[in-house]
Amino acid sequence: MKLDRNIYVQRRKALLESLDKGSILVLPAATEKVRNRDCEYAYRQDSDFWYLTGFGEPEAVLVLAPGREEGESILFCRKRDRDMEIWHGRRAGQEGAVKEYGFDQAFTINELDEQMPGLLDKRTTVYHTPNADKAFDQKLWGWIDTLRMKERRGSVPPEQVLDRDKLLHTLRLIKTPAEQAIMREAGEISARAHTRAMKECKPGAMEYQLEAAIHHEFAMSGARYPAYTTIVGSGENACILHYTENESELKDGDLVLIDAGCELDYYAADITRTFPVNGKFTEEQKAIYNVVLDAQLASIAEIAPGKPLDAFHKAAVDKLVDGLLELGLLSGKKEKLIEEEAYRAFYMHGTGHWIGMDVHDVGHHKEDGEPVTLQPGMTLTVEPGIYVSPDNMDVEERWRGIGVRIEDDILVTETGNEVLTKDVVKTVEDIEALMA
Ligand code: GLY
Ligand code: MN
Ligand code: MN
C-alpha cells in the first residue's frame, strides 16, 4: 500500500519545474524530541519533508535548486557509520540517497555549512518557512550572511525568503487516487478499532484499556501508530474537548466518547464515536445523540464538488440549533440564536478540518477572500457535537455532563462524496445491536 518510491521523485520533478530558475527551496527534516533524559519520542518525519522525499531519517535537509547542472534535487543526510548503526539503526547514507531515493546528489549532513552558501549564491529567492526549526533558521541566516560578506568577491546573496508552506500545502490539499487508497484503508482500520471498542466495552474497565484495545487493533492491521493522541472520555470527561488523560473508570449508565484514528503510511484517519458504556442509551443520551447524528448527516450531504467550504458547518449548526430548541436546551428565535452564536454554550468547535498526512491537514480555507470551493480529491472531517457542561445551571439537571461527538472522514468525489470511515456503526439502533 505504501506509495511507490518513484512518486516522490516525480513530486520533486514537478515542483522543480514550477519553480523559478532563480529560486531555491530548502526544507529540513523533523528534529528528534527528548521525552526524558536519554529517551526520545518515537521519531516521525515532517509531513512536507516526507511528501517530497519518502525519506524517514532525522538530520537531513532537502534542497531543490532548479537548473543546477550538477543536479537539481539534493539531499544532505547522515553518513553511514558502522558503530552508530549498531547502536541506533540503519542509515541510507549518500549512496543510498542517490540509488534508492533518486536524488541527483547527496552530501553528508556535516557538509551543510560548507555547501549551502555555494548553493544559495546567485539565487534571488529562497523558499523556506521559518519558526518550525529555529536552529535551522539561524544556520540559514548565517549562510546568507556569509554571502553578504563575500559580495565584493562576486557573491550575490538572496533578496527574499518566500513562504515554502504555501507552495507545498496547495499541492497536498488534493489527494491523488494512490493517496486516497491509503486513506481509505486507514479509515477501514480505524473503523474496525472503534467497532472492537464498542464490542469490548464494559462497566468497570478503565478508559486507557479501551485505548489499548484500539491501538492493538491498529497495530494488528498494519498501522503501528495512532495519528494523534487517542481520546477516551467517559461521563463528564466527554465534555473536555481535548481530554487525553484516559484514566477514569468506565461507569454503568455513562456514555463514552472515543476520538481515535490510525496513521497508515503517513496518512491519518480521525473518527469519533460516542456510545453507552453498558450498551443501552438513556432517553436523554439518545435525544442528544440523535440531534448530533442528524446534524452530522445533514452536514455530510453538503460535501460535494462545487460547494463552498463553509456550507457543511452551516448545515450542522442549523440542525444542532433545531435540536437544542426542541429539547429545551436553548430557547428563543432560531435565526437570532444562530446569529449570536448562542449554540456555542453547547457546541464550541468547528465542524471539521482538512485531513491527510497531518490529522489537521494543511491547505488554505479561503480563495480571494471567499471560502474555498470543494474539488474532487479533497478530504475533510465532519464532526459536530453537543457538550452539556456538568456545571451548566441554565439547563435541567438530567442533561448535565452529557457529551456527544460523531466524526467521519469524507473524500470529495467527482459526483459527491465518499465516507472513508463508514464501516463503524453510528445509529442508536445499530450501536445497541452491536453491543448487545
Ligand atoms: N482528533 C482531533 C480532531 O478531531 O480534530
Ligand atoms: Mn477527532
Ligand atoms: Mn477531527
PDB file of all heavy atoms in Angstrom, residues 228 259 270-272 351-353 355 359-360 381-383 405 407-409, ligand 3:
ATOM      1  N   TYR A 228      -2.855  10.704  16.204  1.00  0.00           N
ATOM      2  CA  TYR A 228      -2.884  11.775  17.220  1.00  0.00           C
ATOM      3  C   TYR A 228      -3.197  11.087  18.536  1.00  0.00           C
ATOM      4  O   TYR A 228      -3.500   9.886  18.562  1.00  0.00           O
ATOM      5  CB  TYR A 228      -3.953  12.826  16.868  1.00  0.00           C
ATOM      6  CG  TYR A 228      -5.324  12.240  16.650  1.00  0.00           C
ATOM      7  CD1 TYR A 228      -6.241  12.153  17.688  1.00  0.00           C
ATOM      8  CD2 TYR A 228      -5.695  11.731  15.409  1.00  0.00           C
ATOM      9  CE1 TYR A 228      -7.477  11.583  17.502  1.00  0.00           C
ATOM     10  CE2 TYR A 228      -6.934  11.148  15.206  1.00  0.00           C
ATOM     11  CZ  TYR A 228      -7.824  11.079  16.252  1.00  0.00           C
ATOM     12  OH  TYR A 228      -9.056  10.511  16.074  1.00  0.00           O
ATOM     13  N   ASP A 259     -12.300   9.321  20.446  1.00  0.00           N
ATOM     14  CA  ASP A 259     -11.810  10.021  19.258  1.00  0.00           C
ATOM     15  C   ASP A 259     -10.439   9.421  18.963  1.00  0.00           C
ATOM     16  O   ASP A 259      -9.470   9.681  19.679  1.00  0.00           O
ATOM     17  CB  ASP A 259     -11.716  11.526  19.552  1.00  0.00           C
ATOM     18  CG  ASP A 259     -11.344  12.353  18.331  1.00  0.00           C
ATOM     19  OD1 ASP A 259     -10.840  11.779  17.350  1.00  0.00           O
ATOM     20  OD2 ASP A 259     -11.539  13.587  18.377  1.00  0.00           O
ATOM     21  N   ASP A 270      -9.400   9.848  11.346  1.00  0.00           N
ATOM     22  CA  ASP A 270      -9.853  10.616  12.512  1.00  0.00           C
ATOM     23  C   ASP A 270     -11.340  10.313  12.706  1.00  0.00           C
ATOM     24  O   ASP A 270     -12.177  10.853  11.979  1.00  0.00           O
ATOM     25  CB  ASP A 270      -9.596  12.105  12.232  1.00  0.00           C
ATOM     26  CG  ASP A 270      -9.937  13.011  13.403  1.00  0.00           C
ATOM     27  OD1 ASP A 270     -10.268  12.504  14.487  1.00  0.00           O
ATOM     28  OD2 ASP A 270      -9.865  14.250  13.216  1.00  0.00           O
ATOM     29  N   ILE A 271     -11.627   9.425  13.648  1.00  0.00           N
ATOM     30  CA  ILE A 271     -13.023   9.003  13.873  1.00  0.00           C
ATOM     31  C   ILE A 271     -13.409   9.298  15.317  1.00  0.00           C
ATOM     32  O   ILE A 271     -12.628   9.062  16.227  1.00  0.00           O
ATOM     33  CB  ILE A 271     -13.206   7.480  13.668  1.00  0.00           C
ATOM     34  CG1 ILE A 271     -12.772   7.051  12.262  1.00  0.00           C
ATOM     35  CG2 ILE A 271     -14.644   7.046  13.940  1.00  0.00           C
ATOM     36  CD1 ILE A 271     -12.998   5.561  11.975  1.00  0.00           C
ATOM     37  N   THR A 272     -14.630   9.788  15.516  1.00  0.00           N
ATOM     38  CA  THR A 272     -15.193   9.833  16.862  1.00  0.00           C
ATOM     39  C   THR A 272     -16.515   9.070  16.871  1.00  0.00           C
ATOM     40  O   THR A 272     -17.342   9.223  15.962  1.00  0.00           O
ATOM     41  CB  THR A 272     -15.455  11.278  17.333  1.00  0.00           C
ATOM     42  OG1 THR A 272     -14.250  12.029  17.200  1.00  0.00           O
ATOM     43  CG2 THR A 272     -15.905  11.311  18.783  1.00  0.00           C
ATOM     44  N   THR A 351     -16.870  22.483  12.564  1.00  0.00           N
ATOM     45  CA  THR A 351     -17.476  21.202  12.203  1.00  0.00           C
ATOM     46  C   THR A 351     -16.486  20.264  11.527  1.00  0.00           C
ATOM     47  O   THR A 351     -16.767  19.073  11.362  1.00  0.00           O
ATOM     48  CB  THR A 351     -18.743  21.451  11.352  1.00  0.00           C
ATOM     49  OG1 THR A 351     -19.617  22.272  12.129  1.00  0.00           O
ATOM     50  CG2 THR A 351     -19.471  20.186  10.969  1.00  0.00           C
ATOM     51  N   GLY A 352     -15.312  20.758  11.152  1.00  0.00           N
ATOM     52  CA  GLY A 352     -14.359  19.832  10.541  1.00  0.00           C
ATOM     53  C   GLY A 352     -13.091  20.526  10.097  1.00  0.00           C
ATOM     54  O   GLY A 352     -12.924  21.728  10.296  1.00  0.00           O
ATOM     55  N   HIS A 353     -12.204  19.751   9.535  1.00  0.00           N
ATOM     56  CA  HIS A 353     -10.897  20.259   9.104  1.00  0.00           C
ATOM     57  C   HIS A 353     -10.390  19.382   7.969  1.00  0.00           C
ATOM     58  O   HIS A 353     -10.831  18.234   7.819  1.00  0.00           O
ATOM     59  CB  HIS A 353      -9.911  20.246  10.286  1.00  0.00           C
ATOM     60  CG  HIS A 353      -9.894  18.939  11.044  1.00  0.00           C
ATOM     61  ND1 HIS A 353      -9.160  17.858  10.625  1.00  0.00           N
ATOM     62  CD2 HIS A 353     -10.543  18.534  12.171  1.00  0.00           C
ATOM     63  CE1 HIS A 353      -9.342  16.846  11.485  1.00  0.00           C
ATOM     64  NE2 HIS A 353     -10.189  17.234  12.427  1.00  0.00           N
ATOM     65  N   ILE A 355      -8.027  16.781   6.273  1.00  0.00           N
ATOM     66  CA  ILE A 355      -7.283  15.655   6.841  1.00  0.00           C
ATOM     67  C   ILE A 355      -6.430  15.038   5.732  1.00  0.00           C
ATOM     68  O   ILE A 355      -6.837  15.040   4.568  1.00  0.00           O
ATOM     69  CB  ILE A 355      -8.233  14.618   7.492  1.00  0.00           C
ATOM     70  CG1 ILE A 355      -7.430  13.465   8.099  1.00  0.00           C
ATOM     71  CG2 ILE A 355      -9.274  14.092   6.515  1.00  0.00           C
ATOM     72  CD1 ILE A 355      -8.255  12.558   9.011  1.00  0.00           C
ATOM     73  N   VAL A 359      -3.289  15.090  10.743  1.00  0.00           N
ATOM     74  CA  VAL A 359      -4.714  14.932  11.053  1.00  0.00           C
ATOM     75  C   VAL A 359      -5.447  16.261  10.863  1.00  0.00           C
ATOM     76  O   VAL A 359      -6.522  16.286  10.238  1.00  0.00           O
ATOM     77  CB  VAL A 359      -4.948  14.313  12.455  1.00  0.00           C
ATOM     78  CG1 VAL A 359      -4.405  15.180  13.567  1.00  0.00           C
ATOM     79  CG2 VAL A 359      -6.433  14.060  12.664  1.00  0.00           C
ATOM     80  N   HIS A 360      -4.874  17.348  11.351  1.00  0.00           N
ATOM     81  CA  HIS A 360      -5.389  18.675  10.990  1.00  0.00           C
ATOM     82  C   HIS A 360      -4.531  19.083   9.810  1.00  0.00           C
ATOM     83  O   HIS A 360      -3.464  19.676   9.976  1.00  0.00           O
ATOM     84  CB  HIS A 360      -5.240  19.674  12.141  1.00  0.00           C
ATOM     85  CG  HIS A 360      -6.132  19.354  13.303  1.00  0.00           C
ATOM     86  ND1 HIS A 360      -6.073  20.031  14.487  1.00  0.00           N
ATOM     87  CD2 HIS A 360      -7.126  18.432  13.453  1.00  0.00           C
ATOM     88  CE1 HIS A 360      -6.980  19.528  15.327  1.00  0.00           C
ATOM     89  NE2 HIS A 360      -7.623  18.560  14.719  1.00  0.00           N
ATOM     90  N   THR A 381     -12.879  16.226   7.600  1.00  0.00           N
ATOM     91  CA  THR A 381     -13.685  15.545   8.607  1.00  0.00           C
ATOM     92  C   THR A 381     -14.997  16.302   8.794  1.00  0.00           C
ATOM     93  O   THR A 381     -15.079  17.498   8.525  1.00  0.00           O
ATOM     94  CB  THR A 381     -12.984  15.504   9.976  1.00  0.00           C
ATOM     95  OG1 THR A 381     -12.906  16.841  10.500  1.00  0.00           O
ATOM     96  CG2 THR A 381     -11.578  14.918   9.875  1.00  0.00           C
ATOM     97  N   VAL A 382     -16.003  15.578   9.276  1.00  0.00           N
ATOM     98  CA  VAL A 382     -17.264  16.203   9.690  1.00  0.00           C
ATOM     99  C   VAL A 382     -17.546  15.710  11.101  1.00  0.00           C
ATOM    100  O   VAL A 382     -17.721  14.512  11.308  1.00  0.00           O
ATOM    101  CB  VAL A 382     -18.410  15.836   8.732  1.00  0.00           C
ATOM    102  CG1 VAL A 382     -19.728  16.414   9.242  1.00  0.00           C
ATOM    103  CG2 VAL A 382     -18.126  16.370   7.332  1.00  0.00           C
ATOM    104  N   GLU A 383     -17.538  16.622  12.063  1.00  0.00           N
ATOM    105  CA  GLU A 383     -17.537  16.195  13.464  1.00  0.00           C
ATOM    106  C   GLU A 383     -18.309  17.107  14.403  1.00  0.00           C
ATOM    107  O   GLU A 383     -17.766  17.681  15.338  1.00  0.00           O
ATOM    108  CB  GLU A 383     -16.099  16.078  13.961  1.00  0.00           C
ATOM    109  CG  GLU A 383     -15.217  17.295  13.674  1.00  0.00           C
ATOM    110  CD  GLU A 383     -13.784  17.067  14.173  1.00  0.00           C
ATOM    111  OE1 GLU A 383     -13.626  16.827  15.377  1.00  0.00           O
ATOM    112  OE2 GLU A 383     -12.840  17.144  13.364  1.00  0.00           O
ATOM    113  N   ARG A 405     -20.008  13.469  20.398  1.00  0.00           N
ATOM    114  CA  ARG A 405     -19.460  13.907  19.106  1.00  0.00           C
ATOM    115  C   ARG A 405     -19.491  12.709  18.173  1.00  0.00           C
ATOM    116  O   ARG A 405     -19.270  11.575  18.609  1.00  0.00           O
ATOM    117  CB  ARG A 405     -18.037  14.456  19.259  1.00  0.00           C
ATOM    118  CG  ARG A 405     -17.371  14.825  17.940  1.00  0.00           C
ATOM    119  CD  ARG A 405     -16.115  15.703  18.064  1.00  0.00           C
ATOM    120  NE  ARG A 405     -14.983  15.033  18.660  1.00  0.00           N
ATOM    121  CZ  ARG A 405     -14.540  15.267  19.883  1.00  0.00           C
ATOM    122  NH1 ARG A 405     -15.140  16.164  20.646  1.00  0.00           N
ATOM    123  NH2 ARG A 405     -13.502  14.617  20.361  1.00  0.00           N
ATOM    124  N   GLU A 407     -17.847  11.715  14.398  1.00  0.00           N
ATOM    125  CA  GLU A 407     -16.879  12.225  13.408  1.00  0.00           C
ATOM    126  C   GLU A 407     -16.545  11.170  12.364  1.00  0.00           C
ATOM    127  O   GLU A 407     -16.230  10.028  12.683  1.00  0.00           O
ATOM    128  CB  GLU A 407     -15.590  12.642  14.140  1.00  0.00           C
ATOM    129  CG  GLU A 407     -14.456  13.024  13.207  1.00  0.00           C
ATOM    130  CD  GLU A 407     -13.244  13.602  13.938  1.00  0.00           C
ATOM    131  OE1 GLU A 407     -12.974  13.201  15.080  1.00  0.00           O
ATOM    132  OE2 GLU A 407     -12.572  14.456  13.333  1.00  0.00           O
ATOM    133  N   ASP A 408     -16.591  11.590  11.107  1.00  0.00           N
ATOM    134  CA  ASP A 408     -16.171  10.735   9.986  1.00  0.00           C
ATOM    135  C   ASP A 408     -15.261  11.513   9.056  1.00  0.00           C
ATOM    136  O   ASP A 408     -15.222  12.746   9.086  1.00  0.00           O
ATOM    137  CB  ASP A 408     -17.405  10.238   9.209  1.00  0.00           C
ATOM    138  CG  ASP A 408     -18.124   9.118   9.939  1.00  0.00           C
ATOM    139  OD1 ASP A 408     -17.516   8.054  10.146  1.00  0.00           O
ATOM    140  OD2 ASP A 408     -19.300   9.318  10.323  1.00  0.00           O
ATOM    141  N   ASP A 409     -14.556  10.767   8.209  1.00  0.00           N
ATOM    142  CA  ASP A 409     -13.639  11.363   7.228  1.00  0.00           C
ATOM    143  C   ASP A 409     -14.256  11.238   5.841  1.00  0.00           C
ATOM    144  O   ASP A 409     -14.671  10.147   5.444  1.00  0.00           O
ATOM    145  CB  ASP A 409     -12.284  10.643   7.259  1.00  0.00           C
ATOM    146  CG  ASP A 409     -11.684  10.636   8.657  1.00  0.00           C
ATOM    147  OD1 ASP A 409     -12.105  11.480   9.480  1.00  0.00           O
ATOM    148  OD2 ASP A 409     -10.809   9.796   8.927  1.00  0.00           O
TER     149      ASP A 409
HETATM  150 MN    MN B   3     -11.101  15.828  13.695  1.00  0.00          MN
END
